[in-house]
Amino acid sequence: MNRNRKGIRWVHFALVLIISGIVGGVIGFFSLVGTAMVDVQAVLAQLEQGMAVHVNALLVGGTAVLLAIALLLFGTGYRMYADGVRSEDDARIESGDRRMGLGLGITTLGFIWDFFVFGTACGAENLGIVFVAVFLVCAIMICVVQVKMIDWTKKLMPEKRGDATRMNFQKEWMESCDEAEQYAVFKACYRTHMFMQKLMLVLIVLCLLARLMLGIGMSALVAVSLIWAAQTIVYTIFSSKYSAEKLN
């Protein structure tokens, strides 16, 4: 029985590899056909040029939209949490806490957007000092909103500690969380790690295809490889460390 199960396992594994190879071949074929019909490099160049022309509007508009969504979610969550505390309604407290967390998380998307636009447009000519100033103002606005959200959260939860303007904020904040909150954070981090391992594999394959078919340089492939290696090494080191502490 065990031999049959082992045999089935290897057959299943082989089928997955074969199907993946076929899918990859089909994608590669249609990608080659598509690149033969469309000048991808020219399309990317036009897109980059268009972003450079409207870079300030993209920075301000994207930051404003994301901050508006973040403040809306955080504000509704704040009121919901406060109402739940007054009425001793645990369901409203949990819902409010989730919305506040979503609002705070969306502010980080604002950082990602600003750096993406900045990195895409910074190679263009004649952007001037206004471009850099707009980028800095947008980034500072996001920082200010994040700090204020943390301060507002501490008003609702006096047990929370940590100054968001200091480097050791995350450590102090985590130490002030109870065991249930810490467990939720640890579980989310583990799920994120497992998801990123799969995502990195997909990105590596996409970078390889882009390099082979579109002639894109090695920078994207090197960046993804370094991020994947760093994540794997850090996870392995800390996993070994915490396992040893548990055994001792």
Side-chain angles (χ1 to χ4, degrees):
M1 182 66 70
N2 290 333
R3 286 185 178 180
N4 291 334
R5 288 182 178 178
K6 289 182 179 179
I8 292 173
R9 183 185 65 171
W10 285 109
V11 170
H12 179 266
F13 181 68
L15 287 174
V16 171
L17 291 179
I18 293 171
I19 293 172
S20 299
I22 294 173
V23 172
V26 172
I27 294 174
F29 172 77
F30 283 105
S31 298
L32 287 173
V33 173
T35 52
M37 298 175 60
V38 180
D39 189 348
V40 179
Q41 295 289 351
V43 173
L44 292 176
Q46 291 178 358
L47 179 61
E48 183 175 348
Q49 183 178 3
M51 291 187 67
V53 172
H54 305 288
V55 61
N56 293 331
L58 289 171
L59 283 172
V60 175
T63 302
V65 170
L66 289 171
L67 285 182
I69 296 173
L71 288 170
L72 178 63
L73 284 172
F74 188 90
T76 55
Y78 185 94
R79 290 189 293 271
M80 189 177 294
Y81 190 101
D83 292 340
V85 171
R86 283 192 294 267
S87 60
E88 298 183 353
D89 187 344
D90 292 338
R92 288 186 66 82
I93 291 175
E94 292 178 2
S95 297
D97 191 29
R98 283 196 297 269
R99 289 198 184 188
M100 291 165 63
L102 287 173
L104 188 58
I106 288 177
T107 59
T108 304
L109 293 179
F111 274 122
I112 296 172
W113 171 254
D114 288 346
F115 277 100
F116 169 74
V117 175
F118 181 86
T120 303
C122 65
E125 298 179 356
N126 302 322
L127 286 176
I129 193 66
V130 176
F131 161 63
V132 178
V134 171
F135 168 75
L136 291 175
V137 169
C138 290
I140 291 172
M141 283 297 299
I142 295 172
C143 288
V144 171
V145 171
Q146 284 186 335
V147 171
K148 294 304 296 181
M149 284 182 174
I150 296 297
D151 291 340
W152 293 330
T153 301
K154 289 164 65 177
K155 289 182 179 180
L156 280 181
M157 311 172 191
E159 72 278 5
K160 301 297 184 184
R161 299 191 309 273
D163 185 350
T165 61
R166 300 180 61 181
M167 296 298 295
N168 63 342
F169 162 71
Q170 291 184 339
K171 179 181 179 181
E172 292 183 355
W173 185 271
M174 183 59 65
E175 290 175 349
S176 66
C177 294
D178 57 31
E179 292 184 359
E181 292 172 325
Q182 292 180 0
Y183 174 76
V185 172
F186 299 153
K187 189 173 181 180
C189 290
Y190 174 74
R191 290 291 183 88
T192 301
H193 168 75
M194 299 305 296
F195 173 78
M196 291 302 297
Q197 289 289 303
K198 297 176 182 177
L199 179 61
M200 289 298 173
L201 177 59
V202 173
L203 292 177
I204 284 286
V205 173
L206 291 178
C207 289
L208 287 171
L209 291 174
R211 178 164 173 76
L212 292 173
M213 293 180 292
L214 304 181
I216 294 177
M218 290 182 59
S219 57
L221 184 61
V222 171
V224 174
S225 300
L226 288 175
I227 294 172
W228 194 4
Q231 183 191 22
T232 302
I233 291 171
V234 171
Y235 177 83
T236 302
I237 291 174
F238 280 103
S239 177
S240 176
K241 175 184 176 182
Y242 294 140
S243 297
E245 290 178 356
K246 183 179 179 180
L247 292 174
N248 294 330

